[in-house]
Amino acid sequence: MLTLSPANRSGRSVDGILLLDKPLGVGSNEALQKVKRLFKARKAGHTGSLDRLATGLLPLCFGEATKLSGFLLNAEKRYEAVLRLGIVTSTGDAEGEVLESCEVPRYSCRELEEVVSGFEGEISQVPPMHSAVKVGGQRLYRLAHKGMVIERAPRTVTIHRIAVTDYREGLLSVEVACSKGTYVRTLAEDIGKALGCGASVAGLHRVGSGPFDASEMHGLAELQALADAGLDALDRTLVPMESALEGFPDVKLTGNVAYYLRKGQAVMVPHAPTSGWVKLYDGSCVFLGVGEVLGDGRIAPRRLINRPR
């Protein structure tokens, strides 16, 4: 779900998406608050957390863009991860207490690649105790901080691609493209078990989320410098909200049709796609929101964007 910052009633109305390069040691919500203050924005939210020890791409949605956050939450994520073999921790990463330590066997590159590639496709994961998953109405990490360990139901996730990129001195580097809800920490632990030596995450960097990649990111120091130069400079870092809708076909509506769609009515559009989700535009090519094609061919509004009149 989208994590929204409390609305700032005195803030500016800002619409768009910022691709933040979240720094090491900063929580996702903490980073969101810093950026929201720089923009003096009324409403903002982030689309899925990164751990404090993880860095990289964290899309932040401002204003009306928050209505499209679900599409980014459901999008494929891409990571560069470094796994420390021979070390098992309480959290699955370098932040936790070391539970097991063992000497790492001498693996060949081929052995490592065979084990790692075996995790491609649909796999079952048990959410880690140090995660934001709710069980019985309580966040698992809150229970973990009390020293509690409870049974968690496994979840099916998809590893679209995983590849070894480097291995030296017990540090195994991999690239991972995966579905939403994938825990790289759990993936690291499972790879360690398959190798027989245990493993945990030593470093994690997100390089992609849906249509966005690391080349488009902005760091906090850069954003602060732009804010000092003025809000106009800062606003130019935002990408249009409809850029989150990768692969959605465009549908242009005439004046009357656009009017009725804005009223919440499903409309018939000649030569429109016959199924799926679509991006909706009026006759002036202004983005109206997202629609879904119904069984009878009409397009129903699903997420409409409020524009100043």
Side-chain angles (χ1 to χ4, degrees):
M1 66 182 284
L2 173 73
T3 301
L4 278 173
S5 169
N8 177 4
R9 296 185 182 279
S10 62
R12 295 193 304 142
S13 178
V14 181
D15 298 318
I17 299 173
L18 176 79
L19 305 177
L20 177 68
D21 184 1
K22 190 193 82 65
L24 184 71
V26 177
S28 294
N29 193 57
E30 181 183 355
L32 169 65
Q33 299 304 327
K34 289 177 181 287
V35 175
K36 184 184 175 188
R37 285 194 292 271
L38 290 177
F39 275 85
K40 302 185 188 307
R42 184 176 304 151
K43 182 180 181 182
H46 67 71
T47 57
S49 297
L50 279 174
D51 294 338
R52 292 182 65 85
L53 293 186
T55 61
L57 183 58
L58 181 65
L60 304 182
C61 294
F62 289 85
E64 291 294 286
T66 59
K67 294 179 178 179
L68 307 179
S69 61
F71 299 103
L72 284 175
L73 284 167
N74 293 329
E76 175 187 284
K77 307 297 190 297
R78 299 176 294 283
Y79 297 93
E80 294 173 348
V82 179
L83 282 52
R84 186 178 299 281
L85 304 188
I87 299 293
V88 176
T89 73
S90 58
T91 59
D93 60 20
E95 195 170 37
E97 175 188 355
V98 175
L99 301 178
E100 298 176 22
S101 176
C102 73
E103 186 174 345
V104 180
R106 296 183 64 137
Y107 297 112
S108 68
C109 289
R110 183 174 180 179
E111 288 174 314
L112 293 170
E113 288 169 354
E114 285 180 352
V115 168
V116 168
S117 64
F119 286 87
E120 282 192 353
E122 285 194 351
I123 64 172
S124 180
Q125 282 194 335
V126 176
M129 280 300 302
H130 289 268
S131 68
V133 172
K134 280 188 176 182
V135 175
Q138 297 192 66
R139 302 284 186 188
L140 285 177
Y141 68 82
R142 296 190 187 281
L143 299 177
H145 290 162
K146 297 177 183 178
M148 300 172 61
V149 177
I150 64 172
E151 188 172 346
R152 289 96 69 200
R155 298 178 170 191
T156 299
V157 299
T158 302
I159 306 300
H160 301 294
R161 188 179 70 85
I162 182 168
V164 175
T165 58
D166 191 33
Y167 179 61
R168 62 187 72 190
E169 299 179 354
L171 294 177
L172 177 64
S173 299
V174 297
E175 292 180 345
V176 182
C178 55
S179 65
K180 73 165 187 173
T182 301
Y183 287 97
V184 179
R185 285 176 291 153
T186 302
L187 179 62
E189 291 176 328
D190 291 343
I191 289 173
K193 289 176 185 175
L195 288 169
C197 64
S200 54
V201 172
L204 184 63
H205 185 65
R206 186 152 71 191
V207 295
S209 178
F212 304 126
D213 62 47
S215 65
E216 305 169 280
M217 296 189 300
H218 301 275
L220 286 176
E222 176 194 355
L223 294 171
Q224 179 64 67
L226 290 171
D228 293 341
L231 292 174
D232 286 344
L234 201 59
D235 288 348
R236 285 193 287 272
T237 62
L238 298 176
V239 299
M241 65 184 81
E242 57 266 38
S243 60
L245 307 173
E246 182 182 38
F248 285 28
D250 297 347
V251 172
K252 192 172 180 179
L253 308 177
T254 61
N256 286 337
V257 175
Y259 171 83
Y260 287 110
L261 181 125
R262 283 195 182 104
K263 295 293 185 182
Q265 298 182 31
V267 296
M268 187 65 72
V269 181
H271 312 299
T274 57
S275 63
W277 296 87
V278 296
K279 289 182 285 187
L280 302 170
Y281 295 86
D282 67 12
S284 301
C285 295
V286 174
F287 179 60
L288 300 177
V290 179
E292 184 178 15
V293 181
L294 303 177
D296 61 6
R298 292 179 302 154
I299 297 177
R302 294 304 187 213
R303 301 283 189 279
L304 293 184
I305 303 304
N306 292 325
R307 299 285 186 183
R309 299 277 177 159

